[in-house]
Coordinates of all heavy atoms in Angstrom, one line a residue:
N19 N -121.9 52.5 1.7 CA -122.3 53.8 2.3 C -123.2 54.7 1.4 O -124.1 55.3 1.9 CB -121.0 54.5 2.7 CG -120.3 53.9 3.9 OD1 -120.9 53.1 4.7 ND2 -119.1 54.2 4.1
N20 N -122.7 54.8 0.2 CA -123.6 55.6 -0.8 C -125.0 55.0 -0.9 O -125.9 55.8 -1.0 CB -122.9 55.6 -2.1 CG -121.7 56.4 -2.2 OD1 -121.3 57.2 -1.3 ND2 -120.8 56.2 -3.2
E21 N -125.1 53.7 -0.9 CA -126.5 53.1 -1.0 C -127.3 53.3 0.3 O -128.5 53.6 0.2 CB -126.3 51.6 -1.3 CG -127.7 50.9 -1.6 CD -128.4 51.4 -2.8 OE1 -127.7 51.9 -3.7 OE2 -129.6 51.4 -2.8
L22 N -126.6 53.3 1.4 CA -127.3 53.6 2.7 C -127.8 55.0 2.7 O -128.9 55.3 3.1 CB -126.3 53.3 3.9 CG -126.1 51.9 4.2 CD1 -125.0 51.7 5.3 CD2 -127.3 51.1 4.6
V23 N -127.0 55.9 2.3 CA -127.4 57.4 2.2 C -128.5 57.5 1.2 O -129.5 58.3 1.6 CB -126.1 58.3 1.8 CG1 -126.6 59.7 1.5 CG2 -125.1 58.3 2.8
K24 N -128.5 56.9 0.2 CA -129.6 57.0 -0.8 C -130.9 56.5 -0.2 O -132.0 57.1 -0.4 CB -129.3 56.1 -2.1 CG -130.3 56.3 -3.2 CD -129.9 55.5 -4.4 CE -130.8 55.6 -5.5 NZ -130.4 54.9 -6.8
V25 N -130.8 55.4 0.5 CA -132.0 54.8 1.1 C -132.5 55.7 2.2 O -133.8 56.0 2.3 CB -131.7 53.4 1.8 CG1 -132.8 52.8 2.7 CG2 -131.5 52.4 0.7
E26 N -131.7 56.3 3.0 CA -132.0 57.1 4.1 C -132.6 58.4 3.5 O -133.7 58.9 4.0 CB -130.9 57.5 4.9 CG -130.3 56.4 5.9 CD -129.1 56.7 6.5 OE1 -128.6 57.8 6.4 OE2 -128.6 55.8 7.4
N27 N -132.1 59.0 2.5 CA -132.6 60.2 1.8 C -134.0 59.9 1.3 O -134.9 60.8 1.4 CB -131.7 60.7 0.8 CG -130.4 61.3 1.3 OD1 -130.4 61.7 2.5 ND2 -129.4 61.5 0.5
R28 N -134.2 58.8 0.6 CA -135.5 58.3 0.0 C -136.6 58.2 1.1 O -137.7 58.7 1.0 CB -135.3 57.0 -0.7 CG -136.6 56.6 -1.4 CD -136.4 55.1 -1.8 NE -135.4 55.1 -3.0 CZ -134.5 54.0 -3.1 NH1 -134.5 53.1 -2.3 NH2 -133.7 54.0 -4.2
L29 N -136.1 57.5 2.2 CA -137.2 57.5 3.3 C -137.5 58.7 3.9 O -138.7 59.0 4.3 CB -136.5 56.5 4.4 CG -137.4 56.0 5.5 CD1 -138.6 55.3 5.0 CD2 -136.7 55.2 6.5
S30 N -136.5 59.6 4.1 CA -136.8 60.9 4.7 C -137.8 61.7 3.8 O -138.7 62.4 4.3 CB -135.5 61.7 4.9 OG -135.8 63.0 5.3
L31 N -137.5 61.7 2.5 CA -138.4 62.3 1.5 C -139.9 61.9 1.7 O -140.8 62.7 1.7 CB -137.9 62.2 0.1 CG -138.6 63.0 -1.1 CD1 -137.5 63.3 -2.1 CD2 -139.7 62.1 -1.7
I32 N -139.9 60.6 1.6 CA -141.3 60.0 1.8 C -142.0 60.3 3.0 O -143.2 60.7 3.1 CB -141.2 58.4 1.6 CG1 -140.9 58.1 0.2 CG2 -142.5 57.8 1.9 CD1 -140.5 56.7 -0.1
Q33 N -141.3 60.2 4.2 CA -141.9 60.4 5.5 C -142.1 61.8 5.8 O -143.1 62.2 6.5 CB -141.1 59.7 6.6 CG -141.1 58.2 6.5 CD -140.3 57.6 7.6 OE1 -139.4 58.2 8.2 NE2 -140.5 56.3 7.9
D34 N -141.2 62.8 5.4 CA -141.3 64.1 5.9 C -141.8 65.0 4.8 O -142.6 66.0 5.2 CB -139.9 64.6 6.1 CG -139.2 63.8 7.2 OD1 -139.9 63.2 8.1 OD2 -137.9 63.8 7.2
R35 N -141.8 64.8 3.6 CA -142.3 65.7 2.5 C -143.4 65.1 1.7 O -144.2 66.0 1.2 CB -141.1 66.0 1.5 CG -140.0 66.7 2.2 CD -138.8 67.0 1.1 NE -139.2 67.9 0.1 CZ -138.6 68.1 -1.0 NH1 -137.6 67.4 -1.3 NH2 -139.0 69.0 -1.9
L36 N -143.6 63.9 1.6 CA -144.7 63.3 1.0 C -145.9 63.0 1.9 O -147.1 63.5 1.7 CB -144.3 62.2 0.2 CG -143.4 62.4 -1.1 CD1 -143.1 61.2 -1.9 CD2 -144.1 63.5 -2.0
R37 N -145.7 62.0 2.8 CA -146.8 61.5 3.6 C -147.7 62.5 4.3 O -148.9 62.4 4.3 CB -146.3 60.5 4.5 CG -147.5 59.8 5.4 CD -147.3 58.4 5.7 NE -148.5 57.8 6.3 CZ -148.7 56.6 6.7 NH1 -147.7 55.7 6.6 NH2 -149.8 56.1 7.0
P38 N -147.1 63.6 4.9 CA -148.0 64.6 5.6 C -149.0 65.3 4.7 O -149.9 65.8 5.1 CB -147.0 65.6 6.1 CG -145.7 64.8 6.2 CD -145.7 63.9 5.1
N39 N -148.8 65.1 3.4 CA -149.7 65.8 2.4 C -150.7 64.9 1.8 O -151.4 65.3 0.9 CB -148.8 66.5 1.3 CG -147.9 67.6 1.9 OD1 -148.4 68.7 2.4 ND2 -146.5 67.4 1.9
F40 N -150.6 63.6 2.1 CA -151.4 62.6 1.4 C -152.4 62.0 2.4 O -152.1 61.9 3.6 CB -150.6 61.5 0.8 CG -149.9 61.8 -0.5 CD1 -148.8 62.6 -0.7 CD2 -150.6 61.3 -1.6 CE1 -148.3 62.8 -1.9 CE2 -150.0 61.6 -2.9 CZ -148.9 62.3 -3.1
T41 N -153.5 61.4 1.9 CA -154.3 60.7 2.6 C -154.0 59.2 2.3 O -154.1 58.8 1.1 CB -155.8 60.9 2.2 OG1 -156.2 62.2 2.6 CG2 -156.7 59.9 3.0
C42 N -153.4 58.5 3.3 CA -152.8 57.2 3.0 C -153.7 56.1 3.8 O -154.3 56.4 4.8 CB -151.4 57.1 3.5 SG -150.3 58.3 2.7
S43 N -153.6 54.8 3.3 CA -154.1 53.7 4.1 C -153.3 53.6 5.3 O -152.2 54.1 5.5 CB -154.0 52.5 3.2 OG -152.8 52.3 2.7

Side-chain angles (χ1 to χ4, degrees):
N19 288 338
N20 288 344
E21 187 60 29
L22 287 174
V23 169
K24 185 176 182 179
V25 170
E26 290 174 358
N27 289 342
R28 182 190 291 142
L29 186 60
S30 175
L31 185 150
I32 290 172
Q33 293 180 339
D34 300 336
R35 299 179 63 195
L36 290 180
R37 179 148 193 176
N39 299 290
F40 278 82
T41 298
C42 299
S43 53

